[in-house]
Amino acid sequence: MIFIEYNFTVTPPVPWSEILLAKLSQIEFDSFEENETGFKGYILSDNDDEEFINFQISELEEAQISYEKKEIPQINWNEEWEKNFSPIEVDQRCFIRADFHEPNPDFLYEIIIQPKMSFGTGHHETTRLMVEFILDNDFEGKSVLDMGTGTGILAILTKLKGADHVVGIDIDEWSYHNARENAERNNTQIEWIKGGAESIPQEKYDCIIANINKNILMEDMPFYTNALKTGGTLLLSGLYDFDSEDIIQKANEFGLKFDDMKSMNQWIALKFTYE
């Protein structure tokens, strides 16, 4: 396999590196590595779409963005993330670690993951915000759908909090297999589906979780409401603070009532109730 490395230089890097990274996550990049001047992105040559990348850059007129592109040998991704992966503590209640880290019994919930090429290690603000929402809400006996599950962290946490039936869906092949493996590591029984919103089973859920990006969340809103029970909860993230007005307006069109917001470093997570 031949990988392409994109080395993006972004000025100013905050918040535009994160914004560009979120936009590029719509295609099949296998990994991103952030740095002080921007970030590097790695993608299989067969999945490379430079036209799409240039289009996304052209939309960010407020920032100065350039990149260098080169072919690189196959990377041992597990070795790469193990070099830099550190345990995550969320709200002193949830401890997220790899299997080579020592357990921490001081936390109520502990999740063990091996991210491989998947997104959602818990380091990113959007994942942490969603973890906080899950920690703050009751999942005992509930049914849960986790859209864009990534490493499966959010689905696993709802199961640890007592959720009865949990389904995780991701369109990415690596994420699908990685989430399954992580669920087994945490002794949690979760149903995994490879696909998009069209793959949502014909059933109703007490809570739907979607940590993706604004465009997909807006597009898939009717799928979410169709799968929610009356009085059910929708948790959304992968959003910037300036996305809130559009998302809330779109949600209201489908009978969703805005309840709460969490924010961290210009990223937000939103909570809705389906009336």
Side-chain angles (χ1 to χ4, degrees):
M1 293 186 294
I2 298 175
F3 278 90
I4 304 297
E5 177 191 270
Y6 281 90
N7 188 0
F8 296 95
T9 300
V10 184
T11 307
V14 178
W16 301 107
S17 284
E18 292 282 7
I19 295 174
L20 178 60
L21 191 152
K23 286 178 172 291
L24 298 186
S25 296
Q26 298 176 65
I27 58 175
E28 296 186 50
F29 271 91
D30 291 293
S31 178
F32 292 107
E33 178 185 332
E34 296 185 73
N35 54 51
E36 293 182 356
T37 59
F39 61 93
K40 294 181 179 180
Y42 301 92
I43 190 169
L44 276 171
S45 58
D46 290 346
N47 298 330
D48 186 22
D49 189 345
E50 193 166 6
E51 182 178 349
F52 174 86
I53 291 169
N54 284 319
F55 174 74
Q56 298 303 323
I57 290 174
S58 70
E59 287 200 318
L60 302 180
E61 297 178 353
E62 298 89 340
Q64 294 183 343
I65 302 172
S66 61
Y67 65 83
E68 295 180 355
K69 176 183 177 180
K70 65 179 181 180
E71 289 187 1
I72 58 172
Q74 183 173 352
I75 290 176
N76 184 332
W77 296 104
N78 288 345
E79 181 180 331
E80 288 298 312
W81 76 260
E82 284 181 12
K83 289 178 183 177
N84 302 297
F85 183 79
S86 57
I88 303 132
E89 301 177 7
V90 181
D91 199 23
Q92 298 182 327
R93 289 183 285 171
C94 183
F95 188 64
I96 302 168
R97 67 177 178 88
D99 51 12
F100 54 82
H101 294 131
E102 290 296 322
N104 192 327
D106 295 334
F107 288 79
L108 185 58
Y109 303 102
E110 181 178 79
I111 300 174
I112 304 169
I113 63 168
Q114 186 175 6
K116 292 188 176 178
M117 294 185 184
S118 305
F119 296 100
T121 62
H123 288 91
H124 196 275
E125 289 90 338
T126 58
T127 309
R128 296 174 71 99
L129 292 172
M130 293 292 267
V131 168
E132 289 181 15
F133 260 137
I134 293 170
L135 291 170
D136 290 345
N137 285 270
D138 177 28
F139 284 88
E140 191 68 37
K142 300 291 182 64
S143 56
V144 179
L145 172 64
D146 180 15
M147 293 298 303
T149 193
T151 57
I153 283 179
L154 302 180
I156 291 168
L157 182 56
T158 64
K159 195 69 177 178
L160 295 178
K161 288 207 68 187
D164 180 32
H165 178 49
V166 179
V167 177
I169 298 179
D170 203 295
I171 199 167
D172 178 70
E173 184 79 23
W174 281 96
S175 295
Y176 169 74
H177 291 292
N178 187 215
R180 291 173 64 95
E181 294 170 1
N182 287 330
E184 292 175 5
R185 284 187 179 88
N186 292 275
N187 298 313
T188 50
Q189 296 295 319
I190 297 172
E191 178 185 349
W192 302 105
I193 298 172
K194 181 181 178 297
E198 73 285 349
S199 303
I200 296 175
Q202 293 298 310
E203 56 184 289
K204 301 290 185 179
Y205 298 89
D206 294 299
C207 181
I208 297 178
I209 300 165
N211 180 17
I212 311 177
N213 63 58
K214 177 185 175 182
N215 291 340
I216 293 178
L217 295 178
M218 297 273 282
E219 181 180 339
D220 291 349
M221 197 75 70
F223 291 96
Y224 303 154
T225 52
N226 185 59
L228 266 177
K229 293 180 181 179
T230 301
T233 300
L234 177 64
L235 301 176
L236 302 179
S237 195
L239 303 165
Y240 293 94
D241 48 13
F242 51 75
D243 292 328
S244 61
E245 185 176 343
D246 290 341
I247 290 288
I248 292 173
Q249 181 179 341
K250 187 72 170 182
N252 289 342
E253 294 174 6
F254 289 92
L256 290 156
K257 175 189 174 184
F258 171 68
D259 284 334
D260 196 8
M261 176 191 297
K262 291 183 181 291
S263 61
M264 183 180 184
N265 298 333
Q266 297 182 309
W267 294 92
I268 60 171
L270 304 174
K271 177 183 177 182
F272 297 89
T273 299
Y274 186 48
E275 299 181 325

